[in-house]
Amino acid sequence: MVSTGERIAIDAMGGDHAPDEIVAGALRAQEELGVKVLLVGEPEKIKAALPSNTNLGQVEIVSATDTIEMDEEPLSAVRRKRSASINVVMDLVKKGKADAAISAGHSGAAMAAALLRLGRLPGIDRPAIGAVFPTMIASKPVLILDVGANVDCRPKFLEQFAVMGSVYSQYVLGTAEPKVGLLNIGEEDCKGNDLAIRTHQMLTSNSQISFLGNAEGRDVLSGRFDVIVCDGFVGNVLLKFAEAVGEIILQILREELPSGLHGQIGTALLKPNLKRIKQRMDHAEHGGALLLGVNGICVISHGSSEAPSIFNAIRMAKEAVDNQVLERIHPQVSSLASE
Amino acid sequence: MVSTGERIAIDAMGGDHAPDEIVAGALRAQEELGVKVLLVGEPEKIKAALPSNTNLGQVEIVSATDTIEMDEEPLSAVRRKRSASINVVMDLVKKGKADAAISAGHSGAAMAAALLRLGRLPGIDRPAIGAVFPTMIASKPVLILDVGANVDCRPKFLEQFAVMGSVYSQYVLGTAEPKVGLLNIGEEDCKGNDLAIRTHQMLTSNSQISFLGNAEGRDVLSGRFDVIVCDGFVGNVLLKFAEAVGEIILQILREELPSGLHGQIGTALLKPNLKRIKQRMDHAEHGGALLLGVNGICVISHGSSEAPSIFNAIRMAKEAVDNQVLERIHPQVSSLASE
């Protein structure tokens, strides 16, 4: 494919299946999406992960001699290990040598590195992690933020999440007028905990967003909302629960469907249909979560990511770059701060 | 069936399908479970809901001339309408004329009526709603509390939930040594929001429970934990999300499975197995949630409950009575208060 010019820096050392699956996903993305991938990490290990038929002239490796382990305290490790791959990735973005950063490594370290190296956008108190969930309406995903960056939030943080989420939904997901919901435990305005009640008032009077009101747990996947805001504690519990539920349902199907003779024949006949169901529920299709509010495009992938997830994460980063997410968020959040 | 003696008072006027489905579920429970059901509400409406072949000598109706509507503010409505069916139900328990209370009506009103009429158990600051979720291990449900009674919690509330939940899991669900988890966003002790971090310390030093540590969203349905505590905001979001996910998955199965000729034949052969899968995921199987911490057995059913849910709610109440949940919680929480 002809290069479309986006330069994506990826931490080749981060993730349970690094560097092999990271490299495989990156090479596929470079070939099929036309992006230019910068593989960041230990050159020898990255080279060993390349298929033998690779044209080395097509592969750009950026050396980083250190890595941050999963059990390290992220902030101090990011500060101490200046040549860690995640730091080098962020530096490439900061210096304008890459348009976006991707990591499937320690997510806390990726956030810390993004904050320290790229800084926050003006008007943003706290960056948020936004995850795209499929809904009951096949073509209508919902962006949920924050799913883990900020465990204790103030109403104005959630307001900033709502504004950033609306911009992303509009320009990247293509929603004409994104409907924003506040994750809550009842439909009425007065419902919720202290944070939710105060945030509701704030979102109601914000003219930059189209606030539809409270979204209950049952509304999350209904397709009624395009953006749902919540604190990072609730959002993270929900994200991890949702990911696990998909796997559990598939296991129940595997256990119960083939039971008995009719079951065995029926299941054999249904094999292609079951595969399609698995795809509809598979979170690998979404590739990663966005870190919104830092001064750069960053995609945080699942630690368990294999090549297809990495490919999708790169596509996500490419779309954010192509649709100028940063440039569009910037004026919106700046005006928020000055109000 | 021979009567087993438990007297269950049920709000025949509460719920989307009241009184017909409430009465149908109650009559079935009386016949199959051996309980004695007291149908509380407007006698004429209840009588009209009885099947024509009903032996009226077998049906006990307790007159209540008022009801609380879904849009009423629960506390003031419960205070104002003294002859509302939910108040009469709770009074029957308080006066010792019934062993347990069930309502599928306004859940806020049921909680308010329970609190005002029955009061709290000594040592309990806030009663909690506990919901039983199925897990990946078929015979090993998990009790999650609180799923909606208390949106802003303090650590000691969650400690009380853990003690009550352990007793319920042990004596009603038959868990030898219930493993307690704290819903949180990471496995490490130091993870979480302010509430989670402080609760973790408290649960670690409580000798009445077997505290296993943090439970992430992905652990909720794993079967590793028997009891999971959280504040009522997160718990309610999770409960409603889980209920909706089950329905969404069933819809995907209905859409995708019968596609194509093989799919149609396969699906036909799998009908009994699919029915079993639906049962494993169907929240109607669980009947309702328990209000733990008030001085009486109360089951709060879904507003959408039909006869099977009501039947299961009555079975749940019967099991709580038979296993002397109140008598067993009482000494545990009393000692908690005096520590």
Side-chain angles (χ1 to χ4, degrees):
Chain A
M1 189 174 173
V2 178
S3 168
T4 52
E6 306 87 350
R7 297 156 306 163
I8 316 286
I10 185 160
D11 182 354
M13 313 313 288
D16 304 343
H17 306 289
D20 293 20
E21 293 289 325
I22 312 293
V23 169
L27 293 181
R28 192 187 137 203
Q30 188 159 282
E31 197 176 310
E32 295 182 23
L33 303 176
V35 297
K36 175 75 193 163
V37 177
L38 312 179
L39 295 167
V40 180
E42 296 176 50
E44 291 314 309
K45 289 190 179 165
I46 294 174
K47 279 177 193 158
L50 293 169
S52 55
N53 62 350
T54 308
N55 178 349
L56 285 174
Q58 299 288 342
V59 178
E60 186 161 348
I61 296 173
V62 179
S63 174
T65 52
D66 215 341
T67 52
I68 292 173
E69 305 300 331
M70 289 308 287
D71 57 0
E72 291 189 87
E73 198 284 306
L75 197 60
S76 70
V78 163
R79 284 206 168 107
R80 203 173 61 247
K81 296 180 168 180
R82 297 190 64 90
S83 58
S85 52
I86 188 66
N87 277 330
V88 176
V89 164
M90 295 301 168
D91 279 340
L92 287 167
V93 175
K94 176 160 191 155
K95 291 174 186 161
K97 292 181 179 168
D99 302 304
I102 296 179
S103 171
H106 193 313
S107 61
M111 274 189 288
L115 263 172
L116 290 176
R117 305 274 159 163
L118 306 175
R120 287 167 296 164
L121 287 173
I124 293 296
D125 287 288
R126 302 283 179 88
I129 301 177
V132 177
F133 284 52
T135 72
M136 285 182 80
I137 304 169
S139 59
K140 205 166 179 301
V142 57
L143 177 71
I144 303 187
L145 68 173
D146 175 25
V147 297
N150 311 284
V151 292
D152 287 298
C153 283
R154 285 195 273 159
K156 70 171 178 168
F157 301 169
L158 269 66
E159 186 187 25
Q160 293 161 13
F161 302 167
V163 171
M164 293 192 290
S166 291
V167 171
Y168 186 83
S169 180
Q170 183 175 352
Y171 293 104
V172 182
L173 304 176
T175 318
E177 191 192 350
K179 300 281 179 295
V180 176
L182 169 66
L183 191 63
N184 207 334
I185 63 163
E187 288 177 0
E188 305 83 356
D189 297 2
C190 60
K191 278 290 175 82
N193 55 13
D194 183 54
L195 173 67
I197 292 168
R198 290 194 296 142
T199 304
H200 192 287
Q201 294 166 353
M202 216 162 198
L203 296 181
T204 303
S205 57
N206 184 310
S207 60
Q208 294 168 283
I209 59 167
S210 173
F211 181 52
L212 207 62
N214 292 334
E216 294 187 80
R218 69 168 65 95
D219 301 317
V220 171
L221 305 182
S222 68
R224 273 182 65 212
F225 296 91
D226 303 297
V227 177
I228 293 178
V229 294
C230 55
D231 72 56
F233 188 91
V234 186
N236 188 270
V237 166
L238 202 60
L239 174 72
K240 288 179 179 162
F241 183 80
E243 287 175 357
V245 162
E247 284 160 32
I248 290 169
I249 303 283
L250 291 171
Q251 184 188 310
I252 292 181
L253 288 178
R254 273 191 296 267
E255 279 175 27
E256 300 279 0
L257 276 186
S259 156
L261 182 61
H262 281 186
Q264 284 171 30
I265 301 169
T267 306
L269 288 168
L270 286 176
K271 221 167 175 184
N273 295 7
L274 287 168
K275 200 176 162 191
R276 211 168 46 242
I277 291 171
K278 189 171 181 306
Q279 278 170 354
R280 263 183 83 168
M281 303 199 304
D282 196 352
H283 65 81
E285 295 295 315
H286 292 278
L290 276 140
L291 183 60
L292 288 168
V294 291
N295 196 7
I297 305 282
C298 300
V299 174
I300 296 177
S301 288
H302 224 278
S304 65
S305 291
E306 298 181 12
S309 289
I310 296 298
F311 174 83
N312 285 317
I314 294 173
R315 184 168 55 194
M316 192 174 215
K318 171 186 154 67
E319 286 169 359
V321 173
D322 291 352
N323 293 291
Q324 303 177 288
V325 167
L326 279 191
E327 293 79 353
R328 298 193 194 273
I329 286 179
H330 198 155
Q332 294 277 340
V333 292
S334 306
S335 75
L336 200 60
S338 64
E339 267 169 17
Chain B
M1 188 175 173
V2 178
S3 169
T4 51
E6 306 87 350
R7 299 155 305 164
I8 316 285
I10 186 161
D11 181 354
M13 313 314 289
D16 305 343
H17 306 290
D20 293 19
E21 294 289 326
I22 312 293
V23 168
L27 292 182
R28 192 186 135 203
Q30 187 158 285
E31 197 176 309
E32 295 181 22
L33 302 176
V35 298
K36 175 76 195 165
V37 177
L38 311 179
L39 295 166
V40 180
E42 296 175 50
E44 290 315 309
K45 289 189 179 164
I46 294 173
K47 278 178 193 156
L50 294 169
S52 55
N53 61 351
T54 308
N55 176 349
L56 285 175
Q58 299 288 342
V59 178
E60 187 160 346
I61 296 172
V62 179
S63 173
T65 50
D66 216 341
T67 52
I68 292 174
E69 305 300 331
M70 289 307 287
D71 57 359
E72 290 190 87
E73 199 284 307
L75 196 62
S76 69
V78 163
R79 284 207 168 105
R80 202 173 63 247
K81 296 180 167 181
R82 298 189 64 89
S83 57
S85 51
I86 188 65
N87 277 330
V88 175
V89 164
M90 296 300 169
D91 279 341
L92 287 167
V93 174
K94 177 161 189 153
K95 291 174 187 161
K97 292 181 178 168
D99 302 302
I102 296 178
S103 171
H106 194 315
S107 60
M111 275 189 288
L115 263 172
L116 290 177
R117 304 275 159 162
L118 306 175
R120 288 168 296 164
L121 287 173
I124 293 296
D125 286 287
R126 300 284 179 88
I129 302 178
V132 178
F133 283 53
T135 72
M136 285 180 81
I137 304 168
S139 59
K140 207 167 177 301
V142 58
L143 177 71
I144 303 187
L145 68 174
D146 174 27
V147 298
N150 311 284
V151 291
D152 288 297
C153 282
R154 285 195 273 160
K156 68 170 180 170
F157 301 169
L158 268 66
E159 186 187 26
Q160 293 162 12
F161 302 167
V163 171
M164 292 194 290
S166 291
V167 172
Y168 185 82
S169 180
Q170 183 176 353
Y171 293 104
V172 182
L173 304 177
T175 318
E177 191 192 351
K179 300 281 179 295
V180 176
L182 170 65
L183 191 62
N184 208 333
I185 63 162
E187 288 177 0
E188 304 84 355
D189 297 3
C190 59
K191 279 288 175 82
N193 56 13
D194 184 57
L195 173 67
I197 292 168
R198 291 194 295 142
T199 304
H200 192 286
Q201 294 167 350
M202 214 162 201
L203 296 181
T204 302
S205 57
N206 183 310
S207 60
Q208 294 169 284
I209 58 167
S210 173
F211 180 51
L212 207 61
N214 292 333
E216 293 188 80
R218 68 168 67 95
D219 301 317
V220 171
L221 306 183
S222 68
R224 275 183 63 214
F225 296 91
D226 303 297
V227 177
I228 293 178
V229 294
C230 56
D231 72 55
F233 188 89
V234 186
N236 188 270
V237 167
L238 203 60
L239 174 73
K240 288 179 179 163
F241 183 79
E243 287 174 356
V245 163
E247 283 161 33
I248 289 170
I249 303 281
L250 291 171
Q251 183 187 310
I252 292 181
L253 287 178
R254 272 191 297 264
E255 280 174 26
E256 300 280 359
L257 275 186
S259 155
L261 182 61
H262 282 185
Q264 284 171 30
I265 300 169
T267 307
L269 287 168
L270 286 176
K271 219 166 178 187
N273 295 7
L274 287 168
K275 199 174 164 192
R276 210 167 49 242
I277 291 170
K278 188 171 182 304
Q279 279 171 353
R280 263 182 84 168
M281 304 200 304
D282 195 352
H283 65 80
E285 294 296 313
H286 292 277
L290 276 139
L291 184 60
L292 288 169
V294 291
N295 196 6
I297 304 282
C298 300
V299 174
I300 296 178
S301 287
H302 225 278
S304 64
S305 291
E306 298 181 13
S309 288
I310 296 298
F311 174 83
N312 285 317
I314 293 172
R315 183 168 55 191
M316 191 175 216
K318 169 186 156 66
E319 286 170 359
V321 173
D322 291 351
N323 292 291
Q324 303 177 288
V325 167
L326 279 190
E327 293 80 352
R328 296 190 196 273
I329 286 180
H330 199 157
Q332 295 278 339
V333 293
S334 305
S335 75
L336 200 62
S338 63
E339 269 170 16

